[in-house]
Amino acid sequence: MSRDFALGRRALDSGARLMVLDTARSTNEALMQCAREGERGPLWLVTSNQSGGHGRRNRPWISAKGNLAASILEVMDAPMPMLATLGFAAGLAAQTALCTISDGASTGAAGRNKPDFRLKWPNDVLAEGAKIAGINLEVEAREGAQAVVVGIGINVVAAPSEVTPPATSLAALGVSTSAEAVFAALSDAWAWWRPLWNLGRGFPLLRNQWLSRASGLGRRVAIRSGANLIEGIFAGIDDQGCLIVDTGEHYVPIAAGDVYFGEVASMRAEP
Ligand code: BTN
């Protein structure tokens, strides 16, 4: 079945190539290994059976068979602070792909609304408030440039249960589709957003697009980063991609952390 993966039309035209695996431990790991062996990309690696995926901050990414695990490698020469903003292009690509798929797919029970896909800083996608996609960007120095692997996991057929924050899948939302269809849409969406990012020069435009699809803008937020907890109002994103918290006294830029909104924000929950 996984041999049916193919790039979308726009992705093909962009010059990207595709490698498909029946199973992989981690598509990010495997692609970074290709970069160490001289691959420069852009090259997608995709599977619907990933057994040892990893997420941000070295957390495991649990993915049921039938979910999408896709990574793209590109060796590029972009300044480090700019590279951090590439994750926003990936979030926009994942959100665009999910909208495309749910617009085109049958949505189960009659009268069921199309899901509302929102972006959660730094680069998760939420559907009805639960996580449906995660992104992990990995960078290694390679011959004066950077090998960048952008890994995107999308819950197509199932989501892990009893996780914090809660997770969902396209199937749970009534969207009947396959990892292959989601990948074709994702590769095309990436071929749209990646050139707009333009090695970071396009980030001001992307930031506006991202904020228009953001979850929790203007709402109460708590960010936990290690032992630190910052609370306030989610006021925006700065030009480095940091989340800006209005504490009432200062605007504080946050570079990394776990975000909690609303009720949960005031619980100060440990992840
Ligand atoms: C996160 O939410 O923390 C990010 C999860 C990223 C998971 C994807 S699945 C494809 C790629 N391969 C990996 O090992 N990780 C990413």
Side-chain angles (χ1 to χ4, degrees):
M1 188 62 180
S2 52
R3 294 287 163 198
D4 294 339
F5 279 109
L7 293 167
R9 170 55 50 200
R10 185 185 289 275
L12 272 174
D13 291 347
S14 76
R17 289 169 291 126
L18 172 64
M19 208 158 81
V20 180
L21 292 177
D22 284 334
T23 61
R25 221 174 77 87
S26 155
T27 54
N28 267 27
E29 246 172 57
L31 259 189
M32 196 54 97
Q33 187 53 38
C34 293
R36 291 182 197 119
E37 290 162 11
E39 174 63 53
R40 298 184 63 82
L43 174 66
W44 281 100
L45 176 59
V46 64
T47 187
S48 53
N49 195 2
Q50 179 176 259
S51 56
H54 35 88
R56 291 189 303 122
R57 299 150 162 257
N58 263 333
R59 291 175 181 150
W61 174 259
I62 299 154
S63 184
K65 191 171 174 188
N67 284 348
L68 176 66
S71 302
I72 183 160
L73 162 72
E74 207 180 308
V75 176
M76 58 177 89
D77 191 5
M80 249 336 184
M82 290 294 176
L83 273 183
T85 64
L86 180 57
F88 291 86
L92 282 161
Q95 194 265 359
T96 302
L98 285 161
C99 291
T100 305
I101 287 294
S102 82
D103 284 349
S106 77
T107 45
R112 194 167 182 158
N113 287 338
K114 300 269 184 207
D116 184 27
F117 297 106
R118 312 292 302 174
L119 290 160
K120 181 182 175 198
W121 186 88
N123 42 34
D124 290 344
V125 187
L126 307 181
E128 317 304 350
K131 180 162 169 170
I132 192 160
I135 290 158
N136 190 17
L137 205 129
E138 298 184 46
V139 182
E140 271 188 27
R142 206 95 335 255
E143 292 161 9
Q146 287 87 28
V148 182
V149 173
V150 180
I152 303 170
I154 298 185
N155 296 331
V156 179
V157 297
S161 50
E162 293 170 26
V163 285
T164 309
T168 190
S169 65
L170 284 168
L173 296 164
V175 179
S176 172
T177 186
S178 65
E180 287 80 356
V182 178
F183 175 70
L186 176 66
S187 66
D188 272 351
W190 176 260
W192 172 259
W193 290 109
R194 160 67 183 86
L196 291 175
W197 174 70
N198 189 17
L199 297 180
R201 290 186 281 270
F203 182 59
L205 165 90
L206 258 59
R207 177 176 51 182
N208 290 341
Q209 294 293 322
W210 193 96
L211 286 170
S212 71
R213 297 159 170 83
S215 176
L217 189 62
R219 283 176 55 202
R220 235 194 129 66
V221 69
I223 297 105
R224 182 179 290 284
S225 181
N228 296 326
L229 187 82
I230 303 254
E231 294 173 278
I233 301 295
F234 173 20
I237 303 282
D238 73 9
D239 53 12
Q240 313 262 301
C242 294
L243 180 145
I244 303 166
V245 180
D246 177 0
T247 64
E249 288 171 6
H250 306 285
Y251 286 98
V252 182
I254 311 278
D258 292 307
V259 172
Y260 302 89
F261 290 120
E263 294 281 293
V264 187
S266 47
M267 281 166 49
R268 306 173 181 210
E270 193 64 71

